[in-house]
Amino acid sequence: MRHESLMCRDRDFDLKHALPQNVDAPVQDLEIETLFEAITAGDRLIHEIARIAALTGAKVKLEEISYHQRALDDALRNPAVVRNEYEHAGEAIEREKSSTLASFVTLTPLVE
């Protein structure tokens, strides 16, 4: 089965991707956090995606950049589809968080 997303053609975007060890200094020096805040308009999910993508993107191949450009072009031509997909993705993430929390609460014995 072929899987494509806006961020990665052949895999899911990894929100748990480890950032480089020395990332804090340049982020602070260049005030990159201000840029993330401006482009994400307070949306925490988009902020985290932008942060990970920007700070780990040095290893991106030319094919991936071309794919991103085509995906962006498609998204700009179909904004209603993108909004719908974003809404569904957000709902899925919230369900996963709720499920994980419910499992933890159910499986964790009370300490007396």
Side-chain angles (χ1 to χ4, degrees):
M1 180 171 99
R2 185 178 172 150
H3 173 81
E4 291 188 10
S5 71
L6 290 176
M7 293 299 295
C8 304
R9 182 178 203 145
D10 59 351
R11 66 191 183 286
D12 288 334
F13 184 74
D14 184 6
L15 279 171
K16 296 176 182 157
H17 191 287
L19 295 175
Q21 291 180 356
N22 60 347
V23 75
D24 292 333
V27 166
Q28 185 175 359
D29 291 347
L30 300 172
E31 296 187 34
I32 295 173
E33 204 55 47
T34 303
L35 174 65
F36 295 145
E37 290 298 327
I39 65 174
T40 62
D43 187 309
R44 298 314 305 163
L45 176 60
I46 298 297
H47 182 278
E48 192 60 22
I49 291 169
R51 181 174 167 76
I52 292 168
L55 299 175
T56 62
K59 299 175 188 173
V60 175
K61 297 176 183 172
L62 182 58
E63 297 84 34
E64 290 182 72
I65 294 170
S66 295
Y67 175 75
H68 291 164
Q69 290 173 336
R70 289 190 309 276
L72 176 60
D73 183 54
D74 190 41
L76 292 172
R77 285 185 277 115
N78 300 287
V81 173
V82 174
R83 282 189 211 97
N84 186 45
E85 290 297 317
Y86 176 76
E87 185 177 308
H88 288 302
E91 290 169 359
I93 289 168
E94 287 304 314
R95 277 195 307 274
E96 184 177 317
K97 286 180 184 176
S98 295
S99 175
T100 301
L101 179 59
S103 297
F104 177 75
V105 171
T106 303
L107 298 175
T108 305
L110 294 175
V111 177
E112 294 184 22

